Amino acid sequence: MAESKLTIEERHAGDVTVLVLTGQMLLDDGDLAFGKRISDLIARGCAKIVLDLGGVTYIDSSGVGMIVFQLKTLKQHGGDMKLLHLNPRAESLFGMLKLLMMFDRFEDEAAAVRSFGWAADRDRRAGPSG
């Protein structure tokens, strides 16, 4: 198999995993590499993901579809995915597909990581009665 046009760098900030994507996320290439990485993270108990798309030079609808599919998978495992540095083309594609409202979007990595803590704090304060 040819080398993927997408590279994925992984780092951790507490219990949040930051994935930095660089390159192209295309049908049967970057989308599969990304899907496998998320599956591996879930298997390791990592379900809070900040997805940095700032280095993605091109994404097609299959790449967007894989991101949405993995968001649903993460939520089934008690996690979530936040988008970081969504470029104008990707934002337009997500918008045309009516998918932007599914994601929290950030331009600051620290704020994206902190947002997971705020959600947990909010849930604790709400208590069992909601």
Side-chain angles (χ1 to χ4, degrees):
M1 183 172 152
E3 190 173 321
S4 176
K5 292 179 175 66
L6 183 75
T7 59
I8 304 172
E9 175 194 326
E10 177 181 326
R11 62 178 179 269
H12 298 270
D15 64 345
V16 177
T17 303
V18 178
L19 295 179
V20 181
L21 276 51
T22 306
Q24 299 179 358
M25 194 164 182
L26 308 170
L27 177 65
D28 294 336
D29 184 8
D31 64 335
L32 299 178
F34 174 72
K36 181 173 181 348
R37 178 62 64 95
I38 296 295
S39 296
D40 292 347
L41 286 167
I42 290 170
R44 294 186 344 230
C46 302
K48 297 177 184 175
I49 309 293
V50 171
L51 189 60
D52 185 343
L53 298 169
V56 174
T57 56
Y58 188 81
I59 184 168
D60 66 10
S61 58
S62 65
V64 172
M66 181 60 79
I67 290 172
V68 171
F69 176 80
Q70 295 302 336
L71 169 68
K72 290 179 181 177
T73 303
L74 286 163
K75 287 189 175 202
Q76 289 169 349
H77 288 87
D80 201 358
M81 183 188 306
K82 316 289 176 138
L83 301 182
L84 180 65
H85 301 135
L86 194 61
N87 67 39
R89 187 194 183 285
E91 188 162 357
S92 172
L93 187 54
F94 275 82
M96 279 191 314
L97 298 169
K98 307 276 191 260
L99 298 171
L100 280 176
M101 63 245 180
M102 295 180 69
F103 294 93
D104 291 334
R105 298 181 312 279
F106 297 87
E107 288 301 316
D108 177 64
E109 182 178 317
V113 169
R114 280 193 311 267
S115 72
F116 283 100
W118 294 333
D121 291 344
R122 188 176 61 238
D123 293 345
R124 270 197 295 277
R125 282 195 304 274
S129 63

